[in-house]
């Protein structure tokens, strides 16, 4: 399946801002304020999870249509197990670094808690995703969603996608009403550690699943040809972008007010109850849907719109999301994501061992961190840049060719 370069570019874009948002310095730093999350309740994790669901739906729906349900299911579970190995690998790497680096235990305590190799309860909690160290929380939810992905993709292919959507909405609502606590409270007591930390997760799976599974449904519908994007995202059909733009503009001043802590005290309580990031509350859901629809329409239909300013905006977005650096990161998003965790932990350790850094130094570190994101991607594409070290040896000619085509064998990997 040919890669969609603009999707790779978008994944790379979210990875860049993810590392900028995850870098923690004493006193903060200004570069992080140059960010789309200052203008809307839309963040990198949402885009990353949605695009992951979209790609899962597109790639594995096509595989199921070609090779059958069992082959698609096996491929998804194989991918999930690969992700699990990386999720556990980065935790182990950080725990080893904590043992080796002077002062790392105290610096990383807020992120790791009392997490050591001599605490089997904590290790079991980590292995089952009940305890997720800071910034190691996207892969676990991604893996859990993938366990349900084969069945849901099959439902979409069987024209039962509306059941998937209805169930996703109901689960999201259950998350907003706190029904997930029927499970989380007993689990919290079960894995409570010596540091008084039990269940530790950043994302309410009931709430955030709607991001992943909406992408999965759209991806599967796209690969199966059950949705005509040419009709939906047409330059003449401006209803979708207009509604989306109204929602974006409605939330814009509210985001500016909350980002700068200007909301009156008597309004904060009510608004905050609708804006719980961990639950992917209604404010985040509406913002993400509106921004996603608006950007998608601009990318697909915008270049053909009759208004020059719309075409210019579409061209600017296309230019950003097709930058070679972003596409490079997006092609290897799993490995870049894991690598970004290592970068963030090291920078936090360095900052914790240094006097408070000035703004210029913080900015320089952040820029270097963004550049370092490319290391795993460049390594995985090293043959493209360096070429093969040695040419493949030529095949020796068989002096006795097979008597017939039927006697020849082909090994397929």
């Amino acid at each position: 399946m040919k890669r969609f370069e603009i999707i790779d570019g978008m994944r790379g874009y979210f990875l860049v801002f993810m590392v900028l948002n995850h870098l923690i310095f004493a006193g903060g730093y200004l570069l992080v304020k140059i960010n789309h999350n200052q203008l809307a309740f839309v963040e990198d994790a949402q885009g990353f999870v949605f695009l992951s669901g979209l790609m899962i739906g597109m790639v594995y729906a096509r595989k199921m249509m070609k090779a059958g349900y069992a082959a698609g299911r096996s491929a998804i579970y194989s991918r999930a197990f690969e992700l699990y190995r990386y999720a556990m690998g980065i935790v182990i790497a950080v725990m080893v670094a904590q043992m080796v680096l002077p002062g790392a235990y105290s610096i990383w305590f807020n992120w790791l808690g009392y997490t050591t190799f001599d605490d089997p309860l904590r290790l079991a909690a980590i292995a089952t995703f009940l305890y997720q160290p800071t910034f190691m929380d996207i892969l676990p939810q991604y893996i859990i969603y993938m366990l349900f992905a084969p069945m849901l993709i099959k439902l979409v292919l069987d024209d039962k996608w509306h059941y998937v959507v209805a169930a996703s909405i109901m689960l999201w609502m259950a998350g907003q009403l706190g029904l997930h606590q029927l499970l989380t409270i007993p689990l919290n007591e079960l894995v409570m550690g010596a540091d008084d930390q039990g269940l530790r997760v950043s994302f309410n799976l009931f709430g955030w699943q709607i991001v992943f599974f909406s992408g999965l449904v759209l991806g599967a519908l796209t690969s199966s040809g059950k949705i005509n994007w040419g009709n939906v995202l047409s330059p003449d059909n401006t209803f979708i972008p207009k509604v989306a733009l109204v929602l974006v503009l409605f939330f814009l001043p509210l985001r500016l007010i909350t980002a700068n802590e200007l909301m009156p005290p008597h309004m904060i309580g009510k608004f905050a109850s609708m804006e719980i990031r961990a639950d992917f509350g209604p404010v985040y859901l509406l913002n993400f849907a509106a921004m996603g629809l608006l950007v998608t329409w601009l990318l697909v239909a915008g270049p053909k719109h009759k208004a020059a300013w719309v075409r210019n905006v579409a061209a600017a977005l296309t230019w950003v999301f097709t930058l070679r650096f972003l596409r490079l990161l997006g092609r290897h998003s799993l490995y870049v994501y894991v690598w970004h965790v290592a970068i963030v932990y090291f920078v936090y350790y360095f900052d914790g061992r240094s006097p408070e850094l000035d703004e210029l130094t913080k900015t320089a570190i952040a820029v270097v961190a963004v550049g370092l994101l490319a290391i795993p991607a460049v390594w995985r594409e090293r043959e493209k840049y360096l070429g093969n070290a040695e040419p493949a040896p030529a095949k020796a000619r068989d002096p006795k060719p097979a008597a017939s085509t039927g006697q020849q064998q082909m090994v397929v990997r």
Side-chain angles (χ1 to χ4, degrees):
M1 178 179 179
K2 184 178 179 181
R3 273 193 168 273
F4 292 85
E5 291 189 342
I6 202 159
I7 294 179
D8 285 335
M10 295 176 80
R11 293 165 91 177
Y13 172 88
F14 290 127
L15 284 165
V16 166
F17 280 95
M18 194 177 292
V19 77
L20 291 176
N21 287 327
H22 289 174
L23 291 175
I24 306 296
F25 296 101
Y29 74 117
L30 293 178
L31 184 61
V32 76
K33 297 294 184 181
I34 306 174
N35 199 305
H36 52 263
N37 68 11
Q38 300 294 302
L39 301 175
F41 296 92
V42 178
E43 299 179 351
D44 323 298
Q46 302 161 20
F48 194 73
V49 171
F50 175 81
L51 290 177
S52 296
L54 182 72
M55 293 302 293
I56 289 292
M58 294 177 70
V59 172
Y60 294 103
R62 179 166 295 190
K63 190 170 187 67
M64 284 186 188
M65 289 187 294
K66 184 177 181 180
Y69 173 73
R73 180 185 58 196
S74 177
I76 291 174
Y77 287 161
S78 176
R79 178 64 168 172
F81 183 60
E82 180 188 15
L83 296 179
Y84 183 81
R85 295 198 302 270
Y86 279 99
M88 293 299 102
I90 189 60
V91 175
I92 293 171
V94 170
M95 290 173 65
V96 171
Q98 180 182 242
M99 296 172 61
V100 174
L101 297 175
Y105 176 83
S106 58
I107 293 173
W108 288 339
F109 184 80
N110 288 338
W111 289 8
L112 293 174
Y114 181 72
T115 301
T116 62
F117 288 107
D118 61 358
D119 186 350
L121 178 63
R122 178 57 51 81
L123 294 177
I126 290 174
T128 53
F129 298 146
L130 298 178
Y131 188 94
Q132 299 168 15
T134 300
F135 302 137
M136 301 185 194
D137 40 24
I138 288 183
L139 284 185
Q141 66 160 324
Y142 187 19
I143 293 166
I144 292 170
Y145 298 153
M146 289 184 72
L147 297 179
F148 299 94
M151 175 183 63
L152 300 183
I153 292 174
K154 187 175 187 305
L155 285 173
V156 175
L157 296 179
D158 291 341
D159 289 326
K160 297 177 180 178
W161 60 268
H162 45 286
Y163 293 116
V164 180
V165 173
S168 181
I169 292 173
M170 290 176 64
L171 274 179
W172 176 82
M173 183 58 69
Q176 308 314 303
L177 297 175
L179 300 184
H180 59 286
Q181 294 180 47
L182 295 172
L183 298 173
T184 58
I185 290 179
L187 288 174
N188 180 65
E189 296 299 323
L190 179 65
V191 298
M192 182 67 69
D195 52 7
D196 293 327
Q197 294 188 44
L199 185 67
R200 175 173 173 159
V201 296
S202 297
F203 301 101
N204 177 351
L205 294 180
F206 281 24
W208 276 77
Q209 53 76 31
I210 200 169
V211 183
F212 184 89
F213 289 132
S214 62
L216 180 144
V217 169
L218 292 174
L221 287 173
T222 300
S223 283
S224 59
K226 297 179 185 296
I227 184 169
N228 188 339
W229 289 111
N231 293 335
V232 177
L233 303 174
S234 163
D236 299 323
N237 181 10
T238 59
F239 175 78
I240 289 177
K242 285 177 180 177
V243 171
L245 183 60
V246 167
L247 280 171
V248 169
L249 293 177
F250 172 79
F251 282 105
L252 173 61
L254 292 171
R255 181 59 187 135
L256 292 173
I257 290 171
T258 56
N260 295 282
E261 300 180 354
L262 299 176
M263 182 168 283
H266 60 275
M267 293 177 58
I268 292 176
K270 180 66 173 178
F271 187 82
S273 67
M274 306 284 285
E275 185 230 354
I276 301 174
R277 177 184 181 273
D279 294 339
F280 200 67
V283 170
Y284 281 98
L285 178 63
L286 289 172
N287 268 257
F288 182 72
M291 188 63 74
L293 285 170
L294 182 59
V295 170
T296 304
W297 185 90
L298 284 169
L299 290 172
V300 176
K304 301 175 184 178
H305 196 268
K306 59 185 179 181
W309 70 270
V310 174
R311 295 196 301 271
N312 291 336
V313 172
L317 282 174
T318 302
W319 177 80
V320 170
F321 294 135
T322 53
L323 288 172
R324 290 184 63 186
F325 179 73
L326 298 183
R327 288 187 284 120
L328 172 66
L329 299 182
R331 286 195 296 272
H332 309 280
S333 57
L334 163 64
Y335 310 95
V336 174
Y337 171 80
V338 173
W339 176 236
H340 116 279
V341 174
I343 292 173
V344 168
Y345 269 77
F346 177 79
V347 170
Y348 189 49
Y349 173 78
F350 174 78
D351 184 71
R353 298 279 291 180
S354 308
E356 185 167 342
L357 305 173
D358 58 51
E359 195 62 43
L360 182 60
T361 303
K362 294 175 183 177
T363 301
I365 291 174
V367 172
V368 171
V370 170
L372 291 176
L373 283 177
I375 288 178
V378 171
W379 172 254
R380 289 178 58 79
E381 295 191 8
R382 59 191 180 280
E383 291 188 0
K384 179 192 297 186
Y385 299 102
L386 303 176
N388 292 323
E390 296 180 0
K395 277 188 175 181
R397 181 173 295 177
D398 189 349
K400 296 181 180 180
S404 68
T405 306
Q407 292 176 307
Q408 297 175 0
Q409 293 182 341
M410 179 182 295
V411 178
V412 180
R413 288 190 62 127

